[in-house]
């Protein structure tokens, strides 16, 4: 096994094209993270069509680089403008922006870079050690287990529903409805195709992802005021100002490790998200600090906690994705599309039949982390300048990339129409307060859930108790019930609190 790992690592790092594509993906992720309103999910959705003719390792390496870079890039506008580039960077701005106001912007950005790198490396180590072990436990999985896993994945809809559980469930039902379009997975009959040959294969995942993630953000950006806030000037952008002092490194060592592990653990929990990890890590950093009152006033430990945790989610979220086929967050739900394009199915078979690809994924994620740190340290001036790109130019380029990307996958203009239609639907959903993540999860997991449930019932002669008599399947069913019950209780508690607040 050691020889397989070594040969896989060497083949990856010795391929110039793979290294170049990982660098391109990482750079694109940093740019998308630095531009408020753009996300790593959107960047990966735009990259997926370009990977259709590529080999699996460089293709996935480019998308993983975008993932790692996108999580780290959000700190730049959070520190300089108090405008978080990503949702998790909200916590970074709490102490990062006050540091910039005190003339310590370079120090805050430097800590954001190193904390992001540390979080990614620690979560990568957990991914490399935990994922193969977990995959080996899944070799005995059959239809009941996969069906219960898909059910557990669908319960994530409750967690990503935002403020309104009802709206999140409605969006999830929309995704499930879209997953029913096409050929019946068991009987082979046509469903909801309305006589269209293009719908016989169902709603293609890539146009759907581009539509739901890219088009709404572009339209939302066009609708906003184009006036840009003036970037706070950083007087000294020399490298020495970005690298934190040795004493600060030593004092922050526990905070770095603790926050990275919190981010990794939260990332493994499906749909918990980097923003939750950042808040939890920040709370723990403040709780264990000798000077908790300094948090929120420019304490670099607050920046460390947030950035180490949100990048720690990268490796954590990849664990359930690769081993169980369940996306750990919104970004990995888009990465499923990248795996599908390459003909790869997450799970135990990925580790037994495509171990070379798994090793390539591990290696490119490590490379992307190193490149992310180096690009930010030596290219911080450039990323600051990127914030000045006029919105109209940026949106025009993104529209072209979105439509060309949806067409290039199958050279089918119908996919462009799907992108536009679902993009408009996604925009209307956003305007109405309906989250798009549940719709994507419903589309991604709905196909798997229906197929595996019906296959399990066929093998058991329609005996539903098969999901309770098999231990692993029963565990996931029980977890799904508890997850839904907890979400309903939390929604009821929040509703009750709002009513009490309104009456007060």
């Amino acid at each position: 096994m050691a020889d397989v790992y070594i040969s896989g690592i060497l083949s990856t790092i010795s391929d110039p094209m793979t290294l170049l594509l990982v660098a391109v993906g990482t750079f694109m992720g940093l740019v998308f993270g630095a531009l408020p309103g753009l996300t790593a999910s959107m960047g990966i959705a735009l990259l997926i069509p370009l990977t259709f003719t590529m080999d699996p390792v460089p293709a996935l390496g480019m998308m993983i680089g975008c993932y790692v870079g996108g999580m780290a890039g959000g700190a730049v506008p959070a520190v300089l403008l108090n405008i978080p580039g990503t949702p998790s960077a909200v916590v970074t701005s709490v102490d990062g922006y006050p540091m910039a106001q005190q003339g310590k912007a370079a120090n805050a950005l430097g800590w954001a870079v190193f904390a992001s790198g540390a979080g990614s490396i620690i979560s990568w180590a957990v991914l490399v050690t935990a994922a193969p072990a977990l995959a080996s436990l899944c070799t005995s999985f059959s239809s009941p287990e996969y069906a219960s896993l898909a059910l557990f994945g669908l319960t994530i809809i409750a967690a990503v529903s935002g403020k309104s559980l009802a709206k999140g469930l409605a969006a999830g039902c929309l995704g499930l409805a879209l997953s029913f379009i096409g050929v019946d997975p068991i009987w082979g009959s046509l469903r909801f195709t309305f006589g269209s040959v293009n719908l016989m294969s169902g709603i293609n995942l890539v146009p759907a992802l581009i539509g739901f993630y890219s088009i709404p953000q572009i339209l939302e950006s066009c609708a906003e005021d184009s006036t840009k806030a003036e970037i706070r000037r950083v007087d000294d952008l020399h490298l020495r100002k970005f690298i934190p002092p040795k004493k600060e490194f030593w004092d922050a060592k526990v905070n770095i490790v603790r926050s990275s592990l919190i981010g990794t653990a939260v990332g493994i929990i499906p749909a918990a998200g980097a923003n939750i990890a950042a808040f939890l890590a920040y709370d723990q950093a403040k709780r264990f600090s000798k000077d908790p009152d300094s948090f929120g006033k420019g304490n670099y430990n607050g920046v460390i906690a947030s950035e180490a945790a949100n990048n720690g989610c990268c490796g954590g979220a990849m664990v359930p994705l690769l081993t169980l086929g369940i996306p750990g967050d919104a970004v990995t739900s888009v990465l499923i599309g990248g795996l599908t394009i390459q003909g790869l199915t997450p799970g135990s078979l990925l580790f037994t039949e495509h171990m070379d690809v798994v090793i390539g994924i591990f290696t490119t994620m490590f490379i992307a982390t190193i490149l992310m740190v180096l690009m930010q340290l030596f290219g911080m001036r450039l990323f600051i300048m990127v914030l000045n790109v006029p919105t109209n130019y940026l949106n025009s380029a993104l529209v072209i990339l979105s439509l060309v990307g949806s067409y290039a996958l199958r050279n089918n203009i119908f996919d462009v129409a799907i992108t536009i239609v679902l993009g408009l639907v996604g925009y209307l959903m956003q305007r109405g307060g309906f989250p798009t993540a549940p719709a994507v999860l419903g589309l991604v997991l709905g196909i798997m859930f229906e197929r595996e449930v019906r296959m399990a019932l066929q093998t058991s002669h329609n005996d539903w108790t098969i999901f309770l008599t098999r231990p692993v399947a029963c565990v996931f069913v029980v977890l799904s019930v508890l997850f839904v019950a907890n979400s309903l209780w939390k929604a009821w508690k929040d509703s009750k609190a709002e009513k009490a607040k309104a009456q007060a």
Side-chain angles (χ1 to χ4, degrees), residues 208-269:
L209 290 173
I210 295 175
F212 275 124
Y213 280 102
S214 299
I215 304 300
Q217 293 290 348
I218 295 169
L219 294 176
E220 192 72 33
S221 178
C222 292
E224 291 177 353
D225 185 4
S226 61
T227 303
K228 281 190 170 288
E230 182 181 353
I231 296 178
R232 178 169 295 278
R233 191 167 73 88
V234 183
D235 293 326
D236 195 345
L237 291 174
H238 291 295
L239 183 62
R240 66 177 182 275
K241 290 292 183 180
F242 286 115
I243 300 177
K246 293 181 180 179
K247 184 179 183 302
E248 289 186 3
F249 262 118
W250 180 254
D251 292 340
K253 60 183 184 298
V254 175
N255 186 19
I256 293 173
V257 175
R258 180 181 59 239
S259 300
S260 300
L261 292 176
I262 289 174
T264 305
V266 173
I268 293 175
I269 301 172

Side-chain angles (χ1 to χ4, degrees), residues 287-302:
R287 189 183 302 274
F288 286 98
S289 174
K290 297 179 180 179
D291 186 17
D293 293 335
S294 65
F295 280 73
K297 301 176 182 178
N299 190 324
Y300 64 86
N301 278 292

Side-chain angles (χ1 to χ4, degrees), residues 188-210:
S189 57
L190 298 179
R191 305 182 303 187
F192 308 110
T193 59
F194 305 102
S196 173
V197 176
N198 292 298
L199 288 175
M200 289 178 62
S201 58
I203 299 295
N204 193 277
L205 186 59
V206 174
L209 290 173
I210 295 175

Side-chain angles (χ1 to χ4, degrees), residues 82-335:
N82 200 25
I83 302 175
T86 58
S88 58
V90 170
V91 187
T92 305
S93 64
V94 174
D95 282 283
Y97 187 65
M99 289 181 70
Q101 291 179 310
Q102 298 166 14
K104 302 176 182 177
N107 181 248
L109 291 172
W111 263 123
V113 171
F114 282 102
S116 295
S120 291
I121 291 295
I122 291 175
S123 69
W124 171 84
V126 173
L127 170 66
V128 171
T129 54
L134 184 58
S136 65
L137 297 176
C138 303
T139 53
S140 61
F141 276 25
S142 59
S143 292
E145 285 76 21
Y146 283 117
S148 61
L149 273 174
L151 174 64
F152 180 66
L154 289 172
T155 61
I156 295 171
I157 290 174
V160 295
S161 295
K163 296 181 180 179
S164 174
L165 180 60
K167 290 183 177 180
L169 292 176
C173 289
L174 172 62
L176 287 172
L178 292 175
S179 72
F180 294 147
I181 297 174
V183 179
D184 186 289
I186 302 299
W187 302 112
S189 57
L190 298 179
R191 305 182 303 187
F192 308 110
T193 59
F194 305 102
S196 173
V197 176
N198 292 298
L199 288 175
M200 289 178 62
S201 58
I203 299 295
N204 193 277
L205 186 59
V206 174
L209 290 173
I210 295 175
F212 275 124
Y213 280 102
S214 299
I215 304 300
Q217 293 290 348
I218 295 169
L219 294 176
E220 192 72 33
S221 178
C222 292
E224 291 177 353
D225 185 4
S226 61
T227 303
K228 281 190 170 288
E230 182 181 353
I231 296 178
R232 178 169 295 278
R233 191 167 73 88
V234 183
D235 293 326
D236 195 345
L237 291 174
H238 291 295
L239 183 62
R240 66 177 182 275
K241 290 292 183 180
F242 286 115
I243 300 177
K246 293 181 180 179
K247 184 179 183 302
E248 289 186 3
F249 262 118
W250 180 254
D251 292 340
K253 60 183 184 298
V254 175
N255 186 19
I256 293 173
V257 175
R258 180 181 59 239
S259 300
S260 300
L261 292 176
I262 289 174
T264 305
V266 173
I268 293 175
I269 301 172
N275 51 343
I276 295 176
F279 278 107
L280 287 176
Y282 187 87
D283 176 70
Q284 293 303 309
K286 184 177 180 179
R287 189 183 302 274
F288 286 98
S289 174
K290 297 179 180 179
D291 186 17
D293 293 335
S294 65
F295 280 73
K297 301 176 182 178
N299 190 324
Y300 64 86
N301 278 292
V303 176
I304 293 171
S306 173
E307 290 301 309
N310 64 35
N311 265 78
C313 276
C314 294
M318 293 291 289
V319 173
L321 171 68
L322 295 177
T323 59
L324 304 175
I326 296 177
D329 58 11
V331 184
T332 48
S333 69
V334 184
L335 272 173

